[in-house]
Short mmCIF file of all heavy atoms in Angstrom, two decimals:
data_model
loop_
_atom_site.label_atom_id
_atom_site.label_comp_id
_atom_site.label_asym_id
_atom_site.label_seq_id
_atom_site.Cartn_x
_atom_site.Cartn_y
_atom_site.Cartn_z
N PHE G 804 0.57 4.06 19.06
CA PHE G 804 0.81 3.23 20.30
C PHE G 804 1.29 1.86 20.09
O PHE G 804 1.82 1.25 21.00
CB PHE G 804 -0.43 3.28 21.22
CG PHE G 804 -0.76 4.60 21.76
CD1 PHE G 804 -1.57 5.51 21.21
CD2 PHE G 804 -0.15 5.03 22.96
CE1 PHE G 804 -1.83 6.76 21.69
CE2 PHE G 804 -0.40 6.27 23.52
CZ PHE G 804 -1.28 7.14 22.80
N GLY G 805 1.01 1.28 18.91
CA GLY G 805 1.43 -0.10 18.72
C GLY G 805 2.80 -0.22 17.98
O GLY G 805 3.38 0.80 17.64
N ALA G 806 3.31 -1.44 17.91
CA ALA G 806 4.60 -1.67 17.25
C ALA G 806 4.59 -1.37 15.75
O ALA G 806 5.58 -0.98 15.15
CB ALA G 806 5.05 -3.13 17.48
N ARG G 807 3.39 -1.48 15.09
CA ARG G 807 3.17 -1.10 13.70
C ARG G 807 2.75 0.37 13.61
O ARG G 807 1.82 0.76 14.27
CB ARG G 807 2.14 -1.92 13.04
CG ARG G 807 2.57 -3.25 12.56
CD ARG G 807 1.40 -3.78 11.70
NE ARG G 807 1.43 -5.22 11.78
CZ ARG G 807 0.34 -5.98 11.35
NH1 ARG G 807 -0.61 -5.38 10.72
NH2 ARG G 807 0.38 -7.24 11.43
N ASN G 823 -16.08 -0.86 26.80
CA ASN G 823 -15.38 -1.56 25.77
C ASN G 823 -15.87 -2.95 25.53
O ASN G 823 -15.19 -3.80 24.89
CB ASN G 823 -13.89 -1.56 25.99
CG ASN G 823 -13.41 -2.43 27.14
OD1 ASN G 823 -14.24 -3.00 27.89
ND2 ASN G 823 -12.15 -2.57 27.26
N ILE G 826 -15.95 -3.93 21.79
CA ILE G 826 -14.56 -4.00 21.30
C ILE G 826 -14.01 -5.37 21.59
O ILE G 826 -13.42 -6.08 20.75
CB ILE G 826 -13.68 -2.89 21.92
CG1 ILE G 826 -14.24 -1.51 21.46
CG2 ILE G 826 -12.21 -3.06 21.48
CD1 ILE G 826 -13.73 -0.33 22.24
N LYS G 827 -14.15 -5.81 22.84
CA LYS G 827 -13.61 -7.09 23.32
C LYS G 827 -14.24 -8.21 22.46
O LYS G 827 -13.61 -9.11 22.06
CB LYS G 827 -13.95 -7.26 24.76
CG LYS G 827 -13.53 -8.56 25.35
CD LYS G 827 -12.23 -8.44 26.08
CE LYS G 827 -12.01 -9.78 26.88
NZ LYS G 827 -10.71 -10.27 26.57
N VAL G 830 -12.73 -8.07 18.63
CA VAL G 830 -11.38 -8.49 18.48
C VAL G 830 -11.25 -10.03 18.62
O VAL G 830 -10.25 -10.61 18.15
CB VAL G 830 -10.31 -7.83 19.41
CG1 VAL G 830 -10.33 -6.36 19.19
CG2 VAL G 830 -10.53 -8.15 20.82
N ASN G 831 -12.23 -10.67 19.19
CA ASN G 831 -12.26 -12.11 19.31
C ASN G 831 -12.99 -12.82 18.12
O ASN G 831 -13.24 -14.03 18.22
CB ASN G 831 -12.79 -12.54 20.62
CG ASN G 831 -11.81 -12.41 21.73
OD1 ASN G 831 -10.78 -13.03 21.67
ND2 ASN G 831 -12.02 -11.48 22.63
N LEU G 839 -10.25 -2.08 13.03
CA LEU G 839 -11.30 -1.77 13.92
C LEU G 839 -11.26 -0.23 14.17
O LEU G 839 -10.29 0.28 14.64
CB LEU G 839 -11.11 -2.50 15.26
CG LEU G 839 -12.29 -2.39 16.27
CD1 LEU G 839 -13.57 -2.75 15.65
CD2 LEU G 839 -11.95 -3.17 17.48
N ILE G 841 -12.94 2.71 16.18
CA ILE G 841 -13.75 2.85 17.41
C ILE G 841 -14.03 4.34 17.67
O ILE G 841 -13.13 5.13 17.90
CB ILE G 841 -12.94 2.36 18.59
CG1 ILE G 841 -12.61 0.84 18.41
CG2 ILE G 841 -13.73 2.55 19.93
CD1 ILE G 841 -11.50 0.31 19.35
N LEU G 851 -10.30 2.59 26.33
CA LEU G 851 -11.19 1.59 25.68
C LEU G 851 -10.38 0.39 25.19
O LEU G 851 -10.97 -0.63 24.80
CB LEU G 851 -11.89 2.23 24.52
CG LEU G 851 -12.98 3.26 24.86
CD1 LEU G 851 -13.45 3.99 23.60
CD2 LEU G 851 -14.10 2.64 25.61
N PHE G 852 -9.06 0.48 25.14
CA PHE G 852 -8.22 -0.53 24.53
C PHE G 852 -6.91 -0.61 25.28
O PHE G 852 -6.27 0.37 25.60
CB PHE G 852 -7.96 -0.12 23.07
CG PHE G 852 -7.51 -1.17 22.15
CD1 PHE G 852 -8.39 -2.05 21.52
CD2 PHE G 852 -6.18 -1.37 21.91
CE1 PHE G 852 -8.00 -3.03 20.69
CE2 PHE G 852 -5.68 -2.35 21.12
CZ PHE G 852 -6.61 -3.23 20.50
N GLY G 853 -6.50 -1.89 25.58
CA GLY G 853 -5.24 -2.10 26.34
C GLY G 853 -4.54 -3.32 25.76
O GLY G 853 -4.90 -3.91 24.71
N ASP G 854 -3.47 -3.79 26.51
CA ASP G 854 -2.60 -4.78 25.99
C ASP G 854 -3.29 -6.16 25.86
O ASP G 854 -3.01 -6.92 24.94
CB ASP G 854 -1.35 -4.98 26.87
CG ASP G 854 -1.65 -5.41 28.28
OD1 ASP G 854 -2.72 -5.08 28.87
OD2 ASP G 854 -0.70 -6.07 28.93
N VAL G 855 -4.23 -6.54 26.73
CA VAL G 855 -4.88 -7.83 26.65
C VAL G 855 -5.75 -7.87 25.40
O VAL G 855 -5.68 -8.89 24.62
CB VAL G 855 -5.74 -8.05 27.94
CG1 VAL G 855 -6.64 -9.31 27.74
CG2 VAL G 855 -4.94 -8.14 29.15
N ILE G 856 -6.53 -6.85 25.14
CA ILE G 856 -7.32 -6.78 23.94
C ILE G 856 -6.49 -6.74 22.73
O ILE G 856 -6.82 -7.35 21.68
CB ILE G 856 -8.36 -5.63 24.01
CG1 ILE G 856 -9.33 -5.87 25.13
CG2 ILE G 856 -9.13 -5.48 22.71
CD1 ILE G 856 -10.23 -4.70 25.37
N ALA G 857 -5.34 -6.00 22.74
CA ALA G 857 -4.48 -5.90 21.59
C ALA G 857 -3.84 -7.31 21.25
O ALA G 857 -3.81 -7.66 20.06
CB ALA G 857 -3.31 -4.93 21.92
N LYS G 858 -3.45 -8.07 22.21
CA LYS G 858 -2.95 -9.43 21.95
C LYS G 858 -4.02 -10.23 21.31
O LYS G 858 -3.71 -11.05 20.40
CB LYS G 858 -2.42 -10.05 23.23
CG LYS G 858 -1.15 -9.42 23.80
CD LYS G 858 -0.72 -9.92 25.11
CE LYS G 858 0.43 -9.23 25.66
NZ LYS G 858 0.70 -9.61 27.08
N GLU G 859 -5.29 -10.13 21.78
CA GLU G 859 -6.34 -10.91 21.17
C GLU G 859 -6.60 -10.50 19.78
O GLU G 859 -6.81 -11.36 18.85
CB GLU G 859 -7.62 -10.77 21.99
CG GLU G 859 -7.56 -11.35 23.36
CD GLU G 859 -8.66 -10.96 24.29
OE1 GLU G 859 -9.40 -10.02 24.02
OE2 GLU G 859 -8.86 -11.64 25.35
N ALA G 860 -6.46 -9.19 19.45
CA ALA G 860 -6.63 -8.71 18.07
C ALA G 860 -5.57 -9.29 17.19
O ALA G 860 -5.87 -9.70 16.02
CB ALA G 860 -6.55 -7.14 18.09
N VAL G 861 -4.38 -9.39 17.64
CA VAL G 861 -3.20 -9.90 16.81
C VAL G 861 -3.53 -11.36 16.58
O VAL G 861 -3.40 -11.85 15.45
CB VAL G 861 -1.84 -9.69 17.51
CG1 VAL G 861 -0.79 -10.54 16.83
CG2 VAL G 861 -1.50 -8.21 17.54
N GLU G 862 -3.86 -12.12 17.63
CA GLU G 862 -4.12 -13.52 17.48
C GLU G 862 -5.24 -13.85 16.47
O GLU G 862 -5.27 -14.88 15.80
CB GLU G 862 -4.48 -14.17 18.81
CG GLU G 862 -3.38 -14.28 19.79
CD GLU G 862 -3.88 -14.59 21.23
OE1 GLU G 862 -5.05 -14.95 21.39
OE2 GLU G 862 -3.02 -14.51 22.14
N ASN G 863 -6.18 -12.87 16.32
CA ASN G 863 -7.31 -13.12 15.42
C ASN G 863 -7.11 -12.42 14.12
O ASN G 863 -8.14 -12.32 13.29
CB ASN G 863 -8.60 -12.66 16.13
CG ASN G 863 -8.99 -13.70 17.20
OD1 ASN G 863 -9.23 -14.83 16.93
ND2 ASN G 863 -9.03 -13.23 18.47
N GLY G 864 -5.94 -11.87 13.82
CA GLY G 864 -5.68 -11.36 12.47
C GLY G 864 -6.14 -9.94 12.10
O GLY G 864 -6.30 -9.58 10.92
N TRP G 865 -6.32 -9.07 13.06
CA TRP G 865 -6.66 -7.69 12.87
C TRP G 865 -5.41 -6.94 12.42
O TRP G 865 -4.28 -7.16 12.95
CB TRP G 865 -7.32 -7.07 14.09
CG TRP G 865 -8.68 -7.64 14.35
CD1 TRP G 865 -8.96 -8.77 15.04
CD2 TRP G 865 -9.87 -7.17 13.87
NE1 TRP G 865 -10.30 -9.01 15.06
CE2 TRP G 865 -10.90 -7.96 14.37
CE3 TRP G 865 -10.27 -5.99 13.13
CZ2 TRP G 865 -12.28 -7.77 14.08
CZ3 TRP G 865 -11.64 -5.78 12.86
CH2 TRP G 865 -12.60 -6.70 13.36
N ALA G 866 -5.53 -6.01 11.54
CA ALA G 866 -4.38 -5.21 11.05
C ALA G 866 -4.04 -4.02 11.92
O ALA G 866 -2.97 -3.63 12.16
CB ALA G 866 -4.51 -4.71 9.60
N GLY G 867 -5.16 -3.47 12.51
CA GLY G 867 -4.97 -2.30 13.32
C GLY G 867 -6.22 -1.84 13.97
O GLY G 867 -7.32 -2.36 13.74
N VAL G 868 -6.09 -0.75 14.77
CA VAL G 868 -7.18 -0.18 15.57
C VAL G 868 -7.04 1.34 15.59
O VAL G 868 -5.99 1.86 15.82
CB VAL G 868 -7.21 -0.74 17.00
CG1 VAL G 868 -8.33 -0.19 17.79
CG2 VAL G 868 -7.26 -2.25 17.04
N VAL G 870 -8.65 4.40 17.69
CA VAL G 870 -9.45 4.67 18.88
C VAL G 870 -9.66 6.16 19.00
O VAL G 870 -8.67 6.86 19.32
CB VAL G 870 -8.73 4.10 20.14
CG1 VAL G 870 -9.65 4.28 21.35
CG2 VAL G 870 -8.38 2.62 20.01
N VAL G 874 -6.18 4.67 25.26
CA VAL G 874 -5.71 3.33 25.42
C VAL G 874 -5.03 3.32 26.82
O VAL G 874 -4.91 4.34 27.48
CB VAL G 874 -4.71 2.94 24.33
CG1 VAL G 874 -5.37 2.89 22.98
CG2 VAL G 874 -3.45 3.83 24.33
N ARG G 875 -4.64 2.12 27.26
CA ARG G 875 -3.85 1.95 28.47
C ARG G 875 -2.77 0.89 28.20
O ARG G 875 -2.78 0.26 27.15
CB ARG G 875 -4.74 1.55 29.60
CG ARG G 875 -5.50 0.25 29.49
CD ARG G 875 -6.48 0.03 30.58
NE ARG G 875 -5.89 0.00 31.88
CZ ARG G 875 -6.14 -0.87 32.87
NH1 ARG G 875 -7.07 -1.78 32.68
NH2 ARG G 875 -5.60 -0.73 34.00
N ASP G 876 -1.90 0.70 29.15
CA ASP G 876 -0.76 -0.26 28.99
C ASP G 876 0.09 0.20 27.90
O ASP G 876 0.61 -0.66 27.09
CB ASP G 876 -1.28 -1.66 28.81
CG ASP G 876 -2.27 -2.12 29.85
OD1 ASP G 876 -1.91 -2.11 31.00
OD2 ASP G 876 -3.44 -2.47 29.54
N LYS G 877 0.46 1.52 27.83
CA LYS G 877 1.23 2.10 26.73
C LYS G 877 2.55 1.32 26.55
O LYS G 877 2.90 1.08 25.37
CB LYS G 877 1.43 3.56 27.05
CG LYS G 877 2.08 4.32 26.01
CD LYS G 877 2.16 5.76 26.37
CE LYS G 877 3.00 6.67 25.42
NZ LYS G 877 3.08 7.99 25.85
N MET G 879 3.41 -1.73 27.13
CA MET G 879 3.19 -3.07 26.51
C MET G 879 2.70 -2.91 25.10
O MET G 879 3.09 -3.72 24.18
CB MET G 879 2.12 -3.85 27.34
CG MET G 879 2.75 -4.34 28.64
SD MET G 879 4.06 -5.45 28.48
CE MET G 879 3.35 -6.81 27.52
N LEU G 880 1.82 -1.96 24.82
CA LEU G 880 1.32 -1.84 23.48
C LEU G 880 2.37 -1.60 22.48
O LEU G 880 2.30 -2.06 21.29
CB LEU G 880 0.26 -0.63 23.43
CG LEU G 880 -1.02 -0.85 24.12
CD1 LEU G 880 -1.85 0.42 23.98
CD2 LEU G 880 -1.74 -2.04 23.62
N LYS G 881 3.45 -0.86 22.85
CA LYS G 881 4.62 -0.66 21.89
C LYS G 881 5.30 -1.94 21.46
O LYS G 881 5.92 -1.98 20.41
CB LYS G 881 5.68 0.17 22.64
CG LYS G 881 5.30 1.63 22.90
CD LYS G 881 6.48 2.27 23.60
CE LYS G 881 6.08 3.54 24.17
NZ LYS G 881 7.23 4.23 24.90
N THR G 882 5.10 -3.09 22.18
CA THR G 882 5.73 -4.30 21.91
C THR G 882 4.85 -5.23 21.05
O THR G 882 5.25 -6.30 20.72
CB THR G 882 6.17 -5.05 23.15
OG1 THR G 882 5.02 -5.51 23.89
CG2 THR G 882 6.98 -4.15 24.04
N ILE G 883 3.57 -4.86 20.85
CA ILE G 883 2.60 -5.73 20.15
C ILE G 883 2.57 -5.36 18.67
O ILE G 883 2.34 -4.19 18.34
CB ILE G 883 1.24 -5.58 20.85
CG1 ILE G 883 1.40 -6.07 22.33
CG2 ILE G 883 0.18 -6.39 20.09
CD1 ILE G 883 0.12 -5.87 23.22
N ASP G 884 2.66 -6.34 17.87
CA ASP G 884 2.68 -6.17 16.36
C ASP G 884 1.28 -5.85 15.83
O ASP G 884 0.60 -6.71 15.21
CB ASP G 884 3.21 -7.44 15.69
CG ASP G 884 3.47 -7.18 14.20
OD1 ASP G 884 3.61 -5.98 13.79
OD2 ASP G 884 3.41 -8.17 13.47
N LEU G 885 0.79 -4.69 16.14
CA LEU G 885 -0.51 -4.19 15.79
C LEU G 885 -0.44 -2.70 15.58
O LEU G 885 0.28 -1.98 16.30
CB LEU G 885 -1.51 -4.54 16.84
CG LEU G 885 -2.98 -4.20 16.61
CD1 LEU G 885 -3.56 -5.15 15.54
CD2 LEU G 885 -3.81 -4.36 17.94
N GLY G 886 -1.09 -2.19 14.55
CA GLY G 886 -1.22 -0.80 14.36
C GLY G 886 -2.25 -0.26 15.35
O GLY G 886 -3.44 -0.74 15.38
N ILE G 887 -1.96 0.72 16.20
CA ILE G 887 -2.85 1.30 17.14
C ILE G 887 -2.65 2.79 17.15
O ILE G 887 -1.59 3.32 17.46
CB ILE G 887 -2.60 0.74 18.63
CG1 ILE G 887 -2.64 -0.76 18.61
CG2 ILE G 887 -3.59 1.37 19.60
CD1 ILE G 887 -2.10 -1.37 19.91
#
Side-chain angles (χ1 to χ4, degrees):
F804 289 92
R807 274 192 215 171
N823 71 353
I826 297 165
K827 178 100 170 128
V830 299
N831 281 297
L839 185 57
I841 303 164
L851 291 172
F852 197 86
D854 66 330
V855 172
I856 296 175
K858 289 174 187 172
E859 292 168 346
V861 170
E862 289 170 10
N863 288 298
W865 291 85
V868 180
V870 183
V874 297
R875 64 188 300 221
D876 305 301
K877 184 176 174 180
M879 286 299 298
L880 291 179
K881 290 180 194 178
T882 68
I883 298 172
D884 187 26
L885 183 69
I887 304 167

